[in-house]
Amino acid sequence: MVFIFSLVSILLVFLGVQIQINEISLLKGNINYKIGIAQWITYITAVIALSISINQLFVANILLEILTTGIVLFVFIISEYLLARIQPSRVRYSWYWRFIVTYICAFVCYHLSILIGSEVLPTIPFIIAGIYLRNTPFGITHGKNLWIANYMQRNPKIDFTESTATNSIIPDCSFAGRKQEFNAKQTFDVTSFGVIPDSSKDQTEAIQNVIDKACEAGGGRVYFPKGRYLLNMGGNRFLKINHSNITLDGETNNDRMPLAELVNCGKTSRGVKNPWISPFLITTGENLQPSNEFWGLQFRKKKDFFNRSNSLSDPGSDGKILTPDFATKVTESSLKGESILHVENSSEVGKYIMLGLYNTTAEGNLIHDILGMDLRPEWTIANRAGEEEAPSYQWLVEVKNIIDEHTIELVRPLLRDCDMKYEPAVFNTKMLENICICNLIISSRWSGLFRHHGFPLYYSIPKTQEMDYGWNAINMKRVAHGEVRNVIIKDFTNPLYVMDSRNVTIRDILIKGYDGHQGLKIYAHACDNLFENIIFENHYADMMGGEGNAYANVFHNISYLNPVFKPVDYDFHGFSEGPMSPPADNIFAHIYGFRYMKSAGAITHLPSCAQNNLWWNTITEGEKEGDYLFYAMTYRQKKGLLRFVTAVGYSVAMIQKTRNLSPKAFFANVKDKLASIDQTGAPRSEHYRLYFPKSRVVGIKTTGIVPTDSAN
C-alpha cells in the first residue's frame, strides 16, 4: 500500500511542477502575450490540482492535511537545498533524489494517517511540493527537465511593421560585421591527432594540441567529425585560441545541422578578480588579455579607488586594467563622418588603434558631452571623469591607410567629432584576425541551478559566482573580422560575449536549454559587430545588451521564443570600468519578444546608455498594457513592504560579503539602504529621459507607452 501511495505521490508532485504561478496572471488579460500550449498546460494542470484539492478537503482529515503539508514542504525545501549543495551533473541523479524524497514523505504521511486514524491518505501536500519546485525563488537543479512545457516549441506569427527611420536618427552602423574574407588553407582533422569522439575521457588537452599545431602552421581549419567530445572534466580548463586565421569547424548533415558536439563538463569560473569575465569554454585572445582582466585606456590622474556593487558575486575592483601602447597625438580636429586623422607622427601607428578622447575640465566636459545630461550624485564613475581626466571616449577602430607621416585614413568614418579640446590621442592595439567558430553544437553538464546573483544566506559567494559566471560558452575577445556561424549553444548561463572586438559576425545561432544570466553581450570596446538570425528558446536574467564603449553594433532578426511566460528585456549596464563610458550608436532591428528597454547594473555605473541607440521595427511582448517601455531597474520606486524587504535583503547580503555579524552594522545597513531607496526612486515616466538619453524607437508594435521624444 505504501508503494502505491508513493507512486500516486510522485504523480501529484509532477502535476504540481507543471503549474507556474505567474502564468495564471495571464488570465487577467492586461499583459501583451500570445498564449500557447505551455500556458494551457499550466491552466489544465492547475484546474486538475484544484479539483483534487477541493475534493480532498471534503473527505479528508483537515488537521492531517495541514500537518503533513508542513512536513512535506519542509522536507522538500531542505532536500532541494542539499541537492543544490551536491549539484549532481546528471539529470537522472536529480530525478532519483526526488523520487526517494517523495517516497520518504509518502511513508511518513501514510503512517501518520494510521496513527491519527484517518481513512483518507493526504494528497494536497504533494501537489504543494510540486508547485514549490516549479516556483521556488531559489532555483533548483535540472529544473526544466521536470516541465512538460520545456519540450514545447513556440512559433508565434511575426509580422514586423516596416517603418522607415529618418537619416538624422540612424547611427552609421553600415560597417558592422565581418569585412575581411578568409578561407583556411590547411585542415587539421582532430581524430588524426589522438582526439577520440564519443570517448568517456577528457579531450581538452588533445584538442588544444591540435589548435596549437594549427597556430604553429600559421593558421588552419580544426575539423571535428561527427561525435561528442568531452571537455573540462576537472574544471577550470578551456580551449584557447591565441593565433590569427583559426577556424573551428564541425561536420554537418545535408541540412547543415551540426553533428559534432563539444561538451563542457565543469565550471570555468575562477572566483578571483572580475569574475564576470571568467574564462569561457572557447576563449580567444587569452595571451593578449587574460580572463578576469579589463583592457583599455586609463585615467590620466587616477586616484586609489575601490568600487563594489551590491551583488553577492561581486568581490569589487580596484580599477587596474591592461592598457594599450601610446602611438601618437592627434594634431587637428576631425568632424563626425570624416575618415581622416591628422597626427603628430604616423610612423608608429599600427593596423588597429584605440582613439582616445579625454576629459579636460574638472567638471567633466567630455562625459557631459557623451551623455548629454547633467550627472546625478550617485553616478560615482561618471563623476570621477573630470577630476581624474578619464578617457571617456575609447573607440576601437582599424586603420585603412597611412597617407603620409602626419595623416592616417580609417576604414570607416568617425562616429563623433574628434575635437582638439579633448586632447585626442592614438594607441596601438594588438588583435587576432579571422577567428571562425562554425557548424558545432556546444553544450554543457551544468545542472541549471540559477538564482540571479544568488540569494543571501542560501548560496555561498563561490556558488553565486558559479551560477552567474561559471558556465560560459564562447567569448570572442580581441578579435577582428571573426565569425560565429551555425552554432547551437545549449545549457550555458552565459552563451556568447563579444568583448574588445570589432567586425565580428554572429549569425544563425540557436540558444536553448537551461535559463541563465547573460544572453548576448557586447562588452567593453565592442565596435562594428553584427548579430543576426538568432533564436532564444530559453530565458536569461539579462537577455541582450552590453556595457562599456560599445559602438555601432547591429542586432538584427533576434527572436525570443521561450514558451514559458518569463518576460525578458534589453539590458544595459553602463560603464564597464572607471575610465570608460556607456554604449552608444547601436541599432536593434527586427527584434521579437522583448518586453522593456531596461537599465540595470550597479548604480555607480549608470546611466546605462549613452546617446543615439536605435530600436527599429520591434514587436514587444510581456509588457503590461499602458506601461512605459523604458525602465531603469535601479530607480524603481519602492514603497511599503517592498521597500523594507529590499533593505533587509541588502543588509543580509552585506553580512555575506563582509562577515560582520554585528546587529549594529545590520541595522545601519538597513537604515542606509532605506535612505538610498527614497533618494533614488524615480517615476517610470522619467526613466527614459534620465537613463536612455536621446535613444529612439521607430516602428514598434506595443501595448506600452513610448516616450514622446523617443518616437519617430
Side-chain angles (χ1 to χ4, degrees):
M1 185 64 183
V2 176
F3 178 73
I4 294 175
F5 180 53
S6 298
L7 291 179
V8 172
S9 300
I10 289 171
L11 291 175
L12 291 171
V13 170
F14 186 74
L15 177 69
V17 165
Q18 309 312 315
I19 302 171
Q20 183 170 301
I21 297 300
N22 69 334
E23 291 198 331
I24 302 297
S25 66
L26 294 175
L27 292 172
K28 297 178 182 178
N30 65 343
I31 297 175
N32 172 30
Y33 188 78
K34 295 180 180 178
I35 292 176
I37 297 176
Q39 286 67 53
W40 285 110
I41 291 171
T42 291
Y43 301 153
I44 292 169
T45 52
V47 169
I48 294 172
L50 184 62
S51 300
I52 292 173
S53 300
I54 292 173
N55 181 69
Q56 183 77 0
L57 291 174
F58 279 114
V59 299
N61 183 313
I62 302 300
L63 178 63
L64 177 64
E65 293 288 340
I66 294 174
L67 178 62
T68 53
T69 296
I71 292 172
V72 171
L73 190 57
F74 176 77
V75 170
F76 266 81
I77 291 173
I78 298 300
S79 164
E80 290 302 320
Y81 173 76
L82 294 174
L83 192 61
R85 303 287 289 186
I86 298 170
Q87 200 166 177
S89 61
R90 302 298 181 93
V91 176
R92 62 175 179 267
Y93 298 148
S94 294
W95 278 92
Y96 294 157
W97 177 285
R98 294 182 181 115
F99 287 158
I100 293 170
V101 169
T102 305
Y103 176 81
I104 292 171
C105 288
F107 183 86
V108 171
C109 291
Y110 178 80
H111 285 87
L112 271 176
S113 300
I114 294 175
L115 184 64
I116 293 175
S118 173
E119 296 181 358
V120 179
L121 296 174
T123 59
I124 294 176
F126 298 96
I127 294 174
I128 291 178
I131 293 174
Y132 169 77
L133 289 179
R134 179 58 180 269
N135 297 278
T136 172
F138 304 111
I140 63 173
T141 56
H142 303 113
K144 292 186 78 170
N145 297 88
L146 295 167
W147 311 345
I148 294 175
N150 187 43
Y151 305 98
M152 305 290 118
Q153 281 198 350
R154 185 167 180 264
N155 296 299
K157 181 181 179 182
I158 301 175
D159 183 19
F160 290 105
T161 300
E162 297 295 336
S163 297
T164 302
T166 61
N167 290 334
S168 62
I169 69 167
I170 301 177
D172 181 6
C173 295
S174 57
F175 291 82
R178 185 174 185 172
K179 302 298 180 184
Q180 179 173 294
E181 292 302 319
F182 168 79
N183 292 310
K185 296 180 179 179
Q186 188 172 356
T187 295
F188 297 79
D189 186 325
V190 295
T191 59
S192 300
F193 296 89
V195 177
I196 306 172
D198 299 316
S199 169
S200 60
K201 296 182 179 180
D202 191 298
Q203 304 295 308
T204 310
E205 184 176 350
I207 293 174
Q208 185 64 58
N209 287 337
V210 182
I211 294 173
D212 293 343
K213 288 183 182 298
C215 292
E216 292 169 4
R221 171 175 173 252
V222 178
Y223 176 69
F224 295 85
K226 177 181 177 180
R228 301 178 81 240
Y229 302 82
L230 303 187
L231 303 168
N232 191 31
M233 296 184 75
N236 199 25
R237 303 174 70 195
F238 52 100
L239 299 179
K240 298 178 281 290
I241 301 176
N242 287 311
H243 195 282
S244 296
N245 306 323
I246 298 293
T247 296
L248 303 187
D249 189 8
E251 182 179 350
T252 62
N253 63 16
N254 292 334
D255 296 321
R256 293 185 62 250
M257 288 296 296
L259 301 175
E261 181 177 3
L262 306 183
V263 184
N264 179 30
C265 301
K267 65 178 182 179
T268 55
S269 57
R270 292 178 170 178
V272 292
K273 180 182 178 182
N274 301 330
W276 40 89
I277 45 175
S278 288
F280 284 54
L281 178 63
I282 301 175
T283 301
T284 67
E286 192 72 2
N287 287 353
L288 297 176
Q289 182 179 336
S291 292
N292 299 97
E293 293 286 344
F294 279 108
W295 167 80
L297 305 183
Q298 184 58 280
F299 294 103
R300 292 198 294 199
K301 296 181 178 179
K302 184 182 183 302
K303 296 181 178 180
D304 289 335
F305 194 94
F306 191 82
N307 187 63
R308 196 176 197 176
S309 73
N310 297 344
S311 168
L312 190 61
S313 55
D314 180 8
S317 171
D318 59 5
K320 293 179 181 178
I321 60 177
L322 302 172
T323 56
D325 294 330
F326 173 78
T328 185
K329 293 181 179 179
V330 177
T331 56
E332 295 181 27
S333 295
S334 297
L335 299 177
K336 175 182 176 180
E338 296 179 350
S339 302
I340 300 298
L341 285 180
H342 304 279
V343 297
E344 194 171 72
N345 180 8
S346 66
S347 64
E348 299 297 322
V349 175
K351 184 175 182 180
Y352 296 99
I353 62 171
M354 186 88 77
L355 174 63
L357 277 62
Y358 290 84
N359 289 270
T360 53
T361 67
E363 295 75 24
N365 53 354
L366 176 58
I367 195 65
H368 278 87
D369 188 15
I370 288 172
L371 298 178
M373 67 171 79
D374 293 331
L375 307 184
R376 291 175 64 106
E378 63 270 19
W379 298 346
T380 53
I381 288 182
N383 282 293
R384 294 171 60 194
E387 189 176 358
E388 298 180 53
E389 297 186 7
S392 297
Y393 191 77
Q394 306 182 24
W395 186 35
L396 178 61
V397 67
E398 183 177 347
V399 175
K400 181 179 181 180
N401 187 30
I402 304 293
I403 296 176
D404 58 40
E405 60 179 329
H406 298 299
T407 314
I408 62 176
E409 181 184 9
L410 306 178
V411 296
R412 60 149 304 146
L414 292 165
L415 288 162
R416 65 173 298 118
D417 292 348
C418 180
D419 196 317
M420 288 303 296
K421 70 180 178 182
Y422 299 130
E423 299 178 6
V426 171
F427 298 79
N428 285 329
T429 65
K430 296 179 181 179
M431 303 288 288
L432 300 179
E433 294 185 324
N434 304 319
I435 305 297
C436 181
I437 301 168
C438 60
N439 305 319
L440 289 166
I441 301 171
I442 302 176
S443 66
S444 85
R445 287 185 178 172
W446 177 42
S447 72
L449 177 66
F450 180 74
R451 167 69 181 174
H452 190 205
H453 294 319
F455 197 86
L457 299 184
Y458 194 86
Y459 297 118
S460 65
I461 290 175
K463 181 66 70 176
T464 300
Q465 290 182 344
E466 179 184 346
M467 288 180 188
D468 279 335
Y469 317 112
W471 296 84
N472 311 317
I474 301 173
N475 188 0
M476 295 291 275
K477 179 179 63 179
R478 300 289 290 275
V479 173
H481 305 289
E483 186 176 29
V484 181
R485 171 175 42 83
N486 193 31
V487 173
I488 299 172
I489 303 175
K490 181 181 179 184
D491 295 335
F492 284 93
T493 188
N494 298 291
L496 212 159
Y497 281 11
V498 173
M499 180 176 180
D500 296 312
S501 294
R502 62 169 290 105
N503 289 122
V504 171
T505 294
I506 311 294
R507 177 179 285 138
D508 301 330
I509 309 294
L510 173 62
I511 301 174
K512 60 192 296 186
Y514 295 136
D515 300 344
H517 190 191
Q518 302 275 1
L520 300 176
K521 188 161 188 177
I522 44 177
Y523 218 145
H525 312 86
C527 300
D528 290 309
N529 302 296
L530 172 64
F531 300 79
E532 189 171 49
N533 303 335
I534 298 171
I535 295 175
F536 289 95
E537 292 183 354
N538 56 349
H539 176 274
Y540 288 95
D542 301 325
M543 195 75 184
M544 185 173 79
E547 59 187 84
N549 299 88
Y551 306 133
N553 300 284
V554 173
F555 292 79
H556 176 255
N557 199 23
I558 315 291
S559 297
Y560 172 61
L561 302 181
N562 189 349
V564 180
F565 180 63
K566 286 187 176 181
V568 298
D569 308 310
Y570 299 92
D571 181 82
F572 290 90
H573 279 50
F575 298 69
S576 283
E577 264 293 350
M580 302 181 190
S581 64
D585 300 300
N586 300 290
I587 293 179
F588 305 84
H590 280 208
I591 312 294
Y592 174 83
F594 288 64
R595 176 179 55 174
Y596 300 128
M597 291 67 167
K598 183 181 75 175
S599 163
I603 197 168
T604 57
H605 285 61
L606 298 183
S608 57
C609 288
Q611 302 180 70
N612 305 322
N613 294 292
L614 172 64
W615 286 271
W616 192 1
N617 293 331
T618 295
I619 300 176
T620 66
E621 189 173 85
E623 78 279 6
K624 291 183 180 179
E625 294 184 8
D627 210 349
Y628 285 92
L629 290 188
F630 288 90
Y631 175 39
M633 186 175 177
T634 315
Y635 288 88
R636 177 183 178 186
Q637 288 185 306
K638 298 175 182 177
K639 300 178 181 179
L641 182 60
L642 177 61
R643 172 178 174 270
F644 179 74
V645 169
T646 301
V648 171
Y650 165 80
S651 301
V652 173
M654 290 304 101
I655 291 175
Q656 282 279 67
K657 297 184 85 166
T658 64
R659 302 299 180 184
N660 184 351
L661 301 177
S662 164
K664 182 179 179 181
F666 176 83
F667 287 110
N669 283 328
V670 170
K671 182 180 178 180
D672 291 344
K673 188 61 177 178
L674 288 173
S676 174
I677 290 171
D678 295 338
Q679 290 169 5
T680 57
R684 282 289 299 273
S685 58
E686 293 291 306
H687 288 198
Y688 161 75
R689 183 179 61 82
L690 290 173
Y691 317 112
F692 298 86
K694 294 186 179 178
S695 292
R696 295 290 183 266
V697 176
V698 178
I700 188 169
K701 285 188 176 180
T702 179
T703 60
I705 298 173
V706 181
T708 304
D709 58 342
S710 77
N712 185 282

